[in-house]
Amino acid sequence: MKIVHTIAELRAQLRGQLRTAFVPTMGNLHEGHLSLMRVAAKHGDPVVASIFVNRLQFAPHEDFDRYPRTLQDDAKKLEAEGVYVVFAPDEKELYPEPQEFRVRPPENLGDILEGEFRPGFFVGVTTVVLKLFQCVSPQVAVFGKKDYQQQMIIRRMCQQFALPTSIVSAPTIRDEDGLALSSRNQYLSVKEREEAPWLYRLLTQTANALSQMRADHSLSLDAIAELEKQAANELRHRGWAPDYFAIRRQLDLKPLEQIDLTGGLQPPPEPQMVVLAAARLGQTRLIDNLEVTFA
């Protein structure tokens, strides 16, 4: 496995490769990241991973400076997964001058949910991903469904810019108690770690309630709003500070409308939903989601 630190080295190493599969990361790798490498290996060859903590997607009050940098340990894990090249640039390599040109997602997708509570976050994400794609020229790139809104935005960015890169979504990897794996889980205290799986339990309870309502024909916009309210209140009761707990359409993350449930002149298609949540437990902000697909 090669570890390269410059764009020139990366391009030289990948010259002539037409089926490159790419997984961008910020390092501090865990089993969730490694599962993305395995998915990538099924869709292309060679597999390239990047490790870069992207300042552009952090707000001034967020944890950019304390975000763990563990390149040596990460490299060992990636080599064990058969990764061909690790691209680990420093800031001066990727941003040799101020990054004044940036990619801005449309407001109706980039400024909702995560975008509402982390202004500018998706501008930073799409900008660095586009730049990394220009460096790697991958045929396929793999993103995890835990960052549901992010992978949707990146897929649409590729479509609108006619990039020759297909986006593959990989399933969320969880601990035995249901907690979605995340580098930020290490910030949790022992007591907070015991509490953290409640976020996924509430997602599951909400998804089950939606399915039951659909089965007994009681699903309505009011019922959906009440489920959202109850879940957010439950988090507050347990000591969390929720940013959002939202039931949205899988297609575009918009709130459901009456026509989604009842249709017009024709019977409606089964509404495919996703339940998304973000909440702070102590000083740690956790996000998660669960798709709800009716038969």
Side-chain angles (χ1 to χ4, degrees), residues 75-127:
K76 292 178 182 177
K77 294 177 181 178
L78 293 173
E79 186 169 24
E81 294 296 333
V83 171
Y84 177 61
V85 175
V86 176
F87 179 42
D90 61 20
E91 278 196 285
K92 289 185 178 180
E93 177 65 21
L94 210 56
Y95 301 129
E97 57 187 57
Q99 188 67 37
E100 295 173 336
F101 286 85
R102 303 195 182 192
V103 181
R104 182 173 298 279
E107 293 180 0
N108 61 4
L109 186 56
D111 291 351
I112 62 173
L113 302 170
E114 284 297 286
E116 177 182 352
F117 290 92
R118 300 184 68 186
F121 171 70
F122 287 121
V123 173
V125 169
T126 51
T127 299

Side-chain angles (χ1 to χ4, degrees), residues 19-95:
R19 297 183 59 249
T20 301
F22 178 45
V23 183
T25 83
M26 292 204 300
N28 194 222
L29 304 182
H30 50 67
E31 180 59 26
H33 295 107
L34 301 182
S35 72
L36 302 182
M37 308 299 160
R38 296 168 203 145
V39 172
K42 295 178 181 179
H43 288 84
D45 180 43
V47 175
V48 177
S50 65
I51 296 175
F52 180 70
V53 184
N54 178 40
R55 186 186 298 271
L56 294 187
Q57 68 195 66
F58 288 79
H61 65 281
E62 292 182 329
D63 57 347
F64 174 80
D65 289 327
R66 71 183 183 116
Y67 196 90
R69 275 80 165 171
T70 55
L71 178 58
Q72 187 173 4
D73 185 52
D74 293 342
K76 292 178 182 177
K77 294 177 181 178
L78 293 173
E79 186 169 24
E81 294 296 333
V83 171
Y84 177 61
V85 175
V86 176
F87 179 42
D90 61 20
E91 278 196 285
K92 289 185 178 180
E93 177 65 21
L94 210 56
Y95 301 129

Side-chain angles (χ1 to χ4, degrees), residues 187-200:
Y187 298 156
L188 297 167
S189 68
V190 173
K191 186 176 181 180
E192 289 167 348
R193 177 60 187 81
E194 293 175 354
E195 170 65 22
W198 259 99
L199 189 62
Y200 181 59

